[in-house]
Amino acid sequence: MEALWEAVSRWLAQYSDRIIIFAVTLLVTVVITKIVGKALQTLLDRSQIPSATIFVNIVLAVIWIMAAMTVMQPVFGVNPTTFATALGVSGIALSFGLKDTIANIVGGFGLMMGKVIQPGDVISIAGTNGTVKDVTWRHTIVTELSGNEMWIPNSVLNTASLEKLTLNGDTMIRIPMVIRGDSDPDETAREILALASRASNGMTLSTIPSVVRFQGFTPYGVSAELWLFAKPEVLPAMVQDAVVRSLVGQDFLVQDPTQQAA
């Protein structure tokens, strides 16, 4: 044990200057990355540039690379120029192994710089609606209306067909129904809206009023749709469930078309 301690002491004494340089460089780099990261995030929030972690991560990666190049010669005895040359030669082989990662980084950067999507956008992809939470160096995080998160590779999202939804399109609820043919349409529409208003109980947008649209005739009566607009923080399915429950059994609705036809 004593021999081991002496060996460690000799090694520390021999390389103490290198250890100090490495430790100081590491500490300074950590401090700089924290300061730059917070400052860059604040700048992005105040600017028109989309605020996503991919920009912050790229800048922080450059800082760490510069720190690593700084300590190569004094600590490890490796010439940074020689290392960069060797890395360039091996970069071709490395790129084949990391082609998916590189495609995700390039795809995410292209999505952000082209302002295709940015955090806060509501999109529809593969039949699923959600809000863009963040664009990282590898994935785009989309939060569904149910609260679940989808992690979509940037390379996939960059080539997939997606649709940007407006607030109205994302929160709109359409409830189809059949109205009895002998009902007064104006009075029926007012009654439907009154029932829907009580049932939704503040879950819909006050800035966009609900509306009943009559669409045509069927063998059973007049086809119509009730349009409502849920608040962003409310699940549309909850509003739809509450309103449909309030309409069940109303005299102006055709509840059983087969009996109505008979």
Side-chain angles (χ1 to χ4, degrees):
M1 188 67 182
E2 186 176 349
L4 178 61
W5 175 249
E6 290 180 357
V8 172
S9 299
R10 286 195 302 270
W11 183 86
L12 291 174
Q14 182 179 359
Y15 297 104
S16 60
D17 54 341
R18 299 188 181 188
I19 295 173
I20 293 174
I21 294 174
F22 181 81
V24 170
T25 303
L26 179 63
L27 179 61
V28 171
T29 305
V30 170
V31 173
I32 290 176
T33 52
K34 287 185 178 296
I35 295 175
V36 171
K38 290 182 179 180
L40 187 58
Q41 189 63 56
T42 302
L43 180 63
L44 289 173
D45 292 339
R46 294 178 179 177
S47 68
Q48 296 182 349
I49 302 175
S51 179
T53 57
I54 186 172
F55 292 111
V56 179
N57 290 338
I58 289 176
V59 173
L60 298 185
V62 171
I63 293 175
W64 279 106
I65 291 173
M66 294 175 61
M69 299 290 284
T70 301
V71 299
M72 276 186 181
Q73 182 68 41
V75 176
F76 301 103
V78 177
N79 191 321
T81 305
T82 304
F83 178 79
T85 303
L87 187 61
V89 173
S90 61
I92 298 177
L94 186 64
S95 64
F96 284 105
L98 299 177
K99 61 179 181 179
D100 291 337
T101 300
I102 295 173
N104 286 324
I105 295 174
V106 174
F109 199 72
L111 288 171
M112 297 301 297
M113 293 304 296
K115 295 186 178 180
V116 178
I117 59 172
Q118 56 185 331
D121 284 347
V122 181
I123 65 172
S124 176
I125 181 170
T128 303
N129 296 355
T131 303
V132 178
K133 180 180 179 181
D134 193 9
V135 180
T136 68
W137 63 276
R138 183 174 177 83
H139 297 92
T140 294
I141 305 174
V142 179
T143 304
E144 299 178 85
L145 294 176
S146 61
N148 298 328
E149 288 187 352
M150 293 191 301
W151 291 58
I152 308 173
N154 292 331
S155 58
V156 174
L157 194 60
N158 200 40
T159 57
S161 176
L162 63 87
E163 180 182 5
K164 269 190 177 181
L165 302 177
T166 62
L167 178 62
N168 294 358
D170 183 49
T171 61
M172 184 178 182
I173 304 164
R174 304 173 70 167
I175 302 177
M177 62 189 72
V178 178
I179 309 264
R180 295 174 61 93
D182 56 355
S183 300
D184 178 77
D186 294 332
E187 180 62 30
T188 301
R190 284 193 291 269
E191 190 171 351
I192 291 172
L193 292 175
L195 291 168
S197 177
R198 288 194 295 268
S200 58
N201 193 22
M203 293 188 291
T204 55
L205 292 171
S206 59
T207 55
I208 308 178
S210 303
V211 64
V212 176
R213 297 294 187 191
F214 293 93
Q215 299 174 322
F217 300 94
T218 73
Y220 315 111
V222 181
S223 63
E225 275 192 344
L226 171 61
W227 295 358
L228 307 103
F229 299 88
K231 291 181 178 179
E233 67 273 12
V234 178
L235 288 176
M238 295 177 59
V239 180
Q240 184 172 3
D241 177 76
V243 173
V244 170
R245 288 173 183 270
S246 71
L247 295 175
V248 172
Q250 298 298 322
D251 293 337
F252 53 78
L253 291 180
V254 178
Q255 305 290 338
D256 190 342
T258 57
Q259 292 185 5
Q260 178 72 10

